[in-house]
Amino acid sequence: MTQKLFLEDAALRECTARVVEHQPNGIVLDRTVFYARSGGQPGDTGTMRWEGGEAATGEALKGEDGTVLHPVAGELPPVGAEVTVALDWARRHRHMRMHTTMHLLCSLTPGIGVTGGQIGAEKSRLDFDLPEPPPKEWWQERLNALVAEDHPVSFSWIGEAELDANPGLVRTLSVQPPRTGGQVRLVRIGAGETPVDLQPCGGTHVARTGEIGRVTVLKLESKGRQNRRISIALED
């Protein structure tokens, strides 16, 4: 298993690691700051450096047994070599801002199931089982109010049994949260006993909602009898 440093600190931009093996779809390291594509969030890209070499790293992918694959074209660092992997931070940070915004969207629809979603650096979307949503101006006003309130974003871990005993924590209808070694990571927005949002998530997030900046709700679309899609963009 690759040690995923971003689960504990999403602000890390690079790290040193050791090459464990070469696979057809990428290099396996013993640890990484790269998030692997999953759950609607794209994988990270960046660079890999080692003694005598450097290469661009394509979008990180999920491998087997909890590994992260780092696609590298051309010359590869040898197995056992120490490398430094560095994120394309501008791209990652936009994904973090978008992802936290998606959780804020969820907080505006308590009890409503999420039927799909996709995070992008330029535009993101979230789909709800919501037959009659409010107009986009309603969403934009409330989203930006939550952003401006600058709520802290934190995480904690619970056991699988605790999650199974509280199924309402899971908002997604078709995708189950990742379970790592019998543990599930919860992302909390807001302080105190009544958070703005609390749900399982293995993705990367900003430290406070104020870090997101202003958000534009681009449009609302009907994608079926009850499925409604909300598309958003960051204003900078």
Side-chain angles (χ1 to χ4, degrees), residues 64-93:
E64 296 181 354
D65 301 322
T67 59
V68 175
L69 302 176
H70 303 75
V72 173
E75 181 186 2
L76 303 179
V79 172
E82 183 177 89
V83 299
T84 297
V85 284
L87 297 170
D88 177 344
W89 177 249
R91 178 176 178 271
R92 153 68 94 75
H93 192 234

Side-chain angles (χ1 to χ4, degrees), residues 104-105 108 134-149 214-217 232 235:
L104 292 178
L105 273 174
L108 298 175
K136 70 176 185 177
E137 292 78 13
W138 182 93
W139 297 92
Q140 181 161 313
E141 178 183 349
R142 282 158 179 78
L143 268 181
N144 282 303
L146 289 170
V147 168
E149 288 165 3
R214 282 194 58 82
V215 178
T216 296
V217 176
I232 61 171
E235 291 192 6

Side-chain angles (χ1 to χ4, degrees), residues 43-219:
D44 288 321
T45 59
T47 59
M48 183 179 296
R49 305 188 303 273
W50 62 96
E51 185 175 357
E54 179 174 344
T57 303
E59 185 182 8
L61 306 171
K62 292 180 70 174
E64 296 181 354
D65 301 322
T67 59
V68 175
L69 302 176
H70 303 75
V72 173
E75 181 186 2
L76 303 179
V79 172
E82 183 177 89
V83 299
T84 297
V85 284
L87 297 170
D88 177 344
W89 177 249
R91 178 176 178 271
R92 153 68 94 75
H93 192 234
R94 290 187 72 86
H95 290 160
M96 291 165 60
R97 293 163 64 197
M98 285 287 201
H99 201 155
T100 307
T101 303
M102 305 281 254
H103 282 224
L104 292 178
L105 273 174
C106 286
S107 76
L108 298 175
T109 55
I112 302 299
V114 174
T115 57
Q118 184 64 49
I119 297 167
E122 302 304 323
K123 183 173 72 172
S124 299
R125 63 170 176 82
L126 204 58
D127 299 349
F128 290 102
D129 182 14
L130 187 62
E132 297 182 4
K136 70 176 185 177
E137 292 78 13
W138 182 93
W139 297 92
Q140 181 161 313
E141 178 183 349
R142 282 158 179 78
L143 268 181
N144 282 303
L146 289 170
V147 168
E149 288 165 3
D150 198 27
H151 296 284
V153 182
S154 59
F155 70 91
S156 60
W157 294 87
I158 61 172
E160 290 182 330
E162 186 174 348
L163 178 66
D164 293 339
N166 295 275
L169 288 172
V170 181
R171 299 295 304 276
T172 52
L173 297 179
S174 60
V175 179
Q176 286 297 304
R179 303 184 181 214
T180 304
Q183 297 289 301
V184 179
R185 182 172 177 260
L186 291 181
V187 171
R188 171 189 293 264
I189 301 178
E193 294 184 1
T194 307
V196 174
D197 188 70
L198 178 67
Q199 60 179 296
C201 181
T204 59
H205 292 269
V206 295
R208 305 188 66 88
T209 61
E211 197 176 332
I212 295 169
R214 282 194 58 82
V215 178
T216 296
V217 176
L218 299 172
K219 58 182 176 180

